[in-house]
Amino acid sequence: MNTPKHSVLLVALQGEVPGDVRCLLAEGIKVILFTDSTEGLEPLDSYKKANLLHVHLLTAVEVARFGMLHIVDGHFKSLGERRQLEKLANISPLNGKRFNVEQYLVEHAPPQMHLNVKAGAGTGKTTVMVQRILYILHVTGVPLKEMAMITFTREASHRMFQKLREAFYLRFEATGALKYLQYIEELPKMQISTIHSFARKLIKDLGAIEGFGSNVRIKSFKMERKQIIEDQINHWMEMQGDPQNVLSKFNGMMIYEVIDIANEYWEEMEKKGLNAEEITNLQWGRALESSEALHGLFSSIFPKCETSLQQLKYDLNAISLNDLTRQLNAITGQQGALFQNASRLRYLFIDEFQDTDDIQIKLAVRLVEAYGLKLFVVGDIKQSIYRFRGAKYTAFDLLRIYLLKMGERIKNYFLSTNYRSSVALLEEMHAHFEKWGEEELLPYGTKDHLHGVKPGTVRDHYWMANPSFERYSSEQAAYTVRKIREAQTSLDDSNTEKVALLVRTNKQALQLRQWCEKAGIPVQLNIGGTFYLSRAVQDFHALVKGLLFPDLPVALLNMLNSSYSPVHLDWTVLTPLDGDEGKLLEFLKQVEVDGKRVYAPWEVYLEELRIAPVLSVLRRIVEDRGPVQRYYHMELQHLDVQFPDQDNRAEAKARALQYQLNLNHLFELVHRQFSSEFVTLYALQQWLQVQMSVNRDEDEPELEEAAQANRVQIMTVHKSKGLEFHTVLIPFTEPVFRFPQKELLLEKESTNWRAGWFIRKGEDPYGSLTHNELERNEDEETQKEETRLLYVAMTRAESRLWIIANRAKTYNNWYMLLAKRRNFANA
Ligand SMILES: Nc1ncnc2c1ncn2[C@@H]1O[C@H](COP(=O)(O)OP(=O)(O)OP(=O)(O)O)[C@@H](O)[C@H]1O
């Protein structure tokens, strides 16, 4: 028999369990044991906790029926053994721990195979990926630095890193084996990142890419793109002869509106991954009546915009995030040798594969070709919710086809045991999913039916009401707040059990926050992209601006009103000064608190700034002025006035902690941005101002669970991906899926793309005939995407799923989807 490197699966009566099981466990070999008693083997808890030992208790008769089964590292000696294993998975063990043969087969698949794991919600995708990595480490000896993992968001990368570290640590704790400490040390060398960071590092490693010098930079080009659009529109108008006359044909739109719309349309092309050639060959079709001028403009400017942007990229030796993967795909033939410069990769894991777009899939295949690496992709087609970013829910099929073209095969696996939601809850969800599957709104067949293992413990696990409210009316607010409070107060332990309110849009999330805050319900908002709008950033900007323009009254006032200073001056106190700059400055510089002039320390800082580096002075100001403590006191005061009957300290503390995290993160970003340059206050202020006005991608660092106390979580479904909550409450079902004010629809037909544009101005719609044609398909695809979104939202629930199915509107919204369920009215 081979010496085990990773695991042993044993079926044996208690007296026949080999004596070396303990030694195996102590060496970090996983033991999956089917037996009638563990007497004599105890204590085993640390091994169980480390996922090293799985015991399935059977009756002696059952054990005897299977005879002695002994499988090492997943190698079957015969087909019979494999069948035995499947039979074992069908037994209900006495201790309730059913063997998950699907997870076992994925974990132990031969290391030289590409694997494709399609898995329903909560079936342990993440868990199995961690175990697979351990298997590869043990069986092949490939080091962590030759493995990489691509996740969809930075949060997911962070979570994956933590999960791996925890798995290694628990194994070290259980076995004392030093190799696990070594893995922890090596873990940072395994690249776990988003596709963009991954491509960025690869390009850095490759040294150079076609047409660009070394050290190519990554830029967003947001501002530059807008400028290019503006130039091209001006140029186009000049070419038409009389600009005033042209403007009058823009259906009453101002020129800045046209620029904004054109910019959005151009972004849409980028999101869908169109290259310059495809943009040049776009088929715009014919204009609707009275839309000819705009049609002429849209159908001619974009190729020129692309040329200008490309030139700018060469001039600045910079590319955009979206270019990264495209550029890597362009490295072909002889240039392929470039890959040898990059660090070697043997395994690539891709999470949330259903949301991968065409270019990224091709990149994965390109890497298989360049390195001979093996892929492990995992995802759930039913959870594909990034169509707006160009993701296609056919990702798995595309990958299989591309690999086949190279003569490579990928093996499919399927996980269907759900560990997240209670059995009762899963059955209620199934009643919805099944119907959506029948109507082809969701790719949900018999094999997608999730089988639960968690008993339902909570009454009211599934609740749906059908009230009828005007959107955002006071009745709706009162009803929703009452349900939220009820959900929160009926938890057994609000520190470990979380209530999450899941919504479709940021606007809905903000509306909910407002209702909750008004009612004194502490909330944790997670809608992403809010970092540059946070108070910590605003205060810091006020600080920098105040130091940069000490003789500008408004800058000085904002700085004094920030958390860096102990006063709060109302604008009205300045009114008697009639806007006289000199008098205003004099007044602001003389303001006193407790007999001390508030401005005095700032004069010292200004002096310091003349000689010391800007960042070190700013750091010192943060230490001296204690903005976090001051923010805490201000928030507490504010909360105490608003809710005098409750203890507001925990909430004020949570807010202050978030402020601190944001401030630390800001310093990190500043260091990253200005690392190789000499920073001036001016450069810092300019950069901050731009970020605050345009950057909606940067997220606030996450507050640790413990610090969130009993906050209700509010988030968009997109943000809830990969997460789970005791209670999920879906408060809004009435908003309609599509009611665009303006849009550009793009669809690929054989080799060329078609473009259809639309703008609603007042009552009047303008656009192209192509838009009308593409809209039917768009409606259908939107409905499917919304169904998948609702699938993700519902499957986040562990114990309770509550839905306020507002029937105010019944068409083209989540209500319509929910009402499809059999016996809807009685549900
Ligand atoms: N074999 C197992 N035994 C017990 N619990 C498990 C097992 N596998 C996974 N779990 C638990 O089930 C829950 C869901 O697992 P995980 O988050 O890995 O699922 P997922 O498939 O990634 O979910 P989703 O795609 O819906 O986000 C987690 O709490 C995890 O600890």
Side-chain angles (χ1 to χ4, degrees), residues 100 103 119-127 163 383 419-420 721-724 795-796:
N100 188 328
Q103 285 188 349
T123 53
K125 289 190 280 292
T126 322
T127 315
K163 286 216 158 137
Q383 297 187 57
Y419 291 94
R420 174 177 298 143
K721 235 178 160 201
L723 302 178
E724 48 196 24
T795 53
R796 302 304 95 201

Side-chain angles (χ1 to χ4, degrees), residues 26 291 392 544 677 814:
S291 308
K392 297 210 180 75
V544 173
E677 292 168 41
W814 279 1

Side-chain angles (χ1 to χ4, degrees), residues 285-427:
R286 294 213 336 264
L288 287 180
E289 209 180 315
S290 333
S291 308
E292 289 80 6
L294 283 169
H295 192 75
L297 173 84
F298 292 142
S299 54
S300 81
I301 57 167
F302 296 111
K304 297 186 186 89
C305 291
E306 276 293 320
T307 314
S308 299
L309 182 61
Q310 192 55 37
Q311 191 52 50
L312 188 69
K313 286 176 179 172
Y314 287 139
D315 293 349
L316 298 177
N317 194 33
I319 55 177
S320 75
L321 273 181
N322 283 334
D323 287 333
L324 284 170
T325 39
R326 211 174 299 159
Q327 292 290 351
L328 284 167
N329 275 322
I331 301 174
T332 50
Q334 276 204 331
Q335 286 175 299
L338 271 177
F339 279 103
Q340 278 149 23
N341 297 340
S343 5
R344 181 145 191 230
L345 276 183
R346 308 264 289 271
Y347 286 92
L348 179 62
F349 296 80
I350 310 181
D351 198 8
E352 307 276 14
F353 191 69
Q354 73 281 357
D355 285 323
T356 305
D357 69 25
D358 196 25
I359 292 179
Q360 295 168 4
I361 299 169
K362 282 187 183 144
L363 173 63
V365 174
R366 186 79 195 82
L367 293 172
V368 170
E369 196 182 29
Y371 294 121
L373 60 72
K374 298 297 164 201
L375 290 173
F376 180 108
V377 304
V378 54
D380 180 6
I381 288 296
K382 299 181 289 309
Q383 297 187 57
S384 168
I385 54 174
Y386 279 94
R387 202 171 75 92
F388 66 88
R389 279 203 206 162
K392 297 210 180 75
Y393 56 90
T394 46
F396 286 101
D397 297 334
L398 281 177
L399 177 67
R400 191 176 44 79
I401 293 166
Y402 291 151
L403 283 175
L404 256 183
K405 278 190 194 157
M406 286 167 43
E408 304 250 351
R409 285 183 177 279
I410 186 157
K411 183 138 171 71
N412 286 320
Y413 289 90
F414 201 82
L415 303 180
S416 65
T417 305
N418 176 294
Y419 291 94
R420 174 177 298 143
S421 312
S422 70
V423 175
L425 202 47
L426 283 171
E427 284 317 299

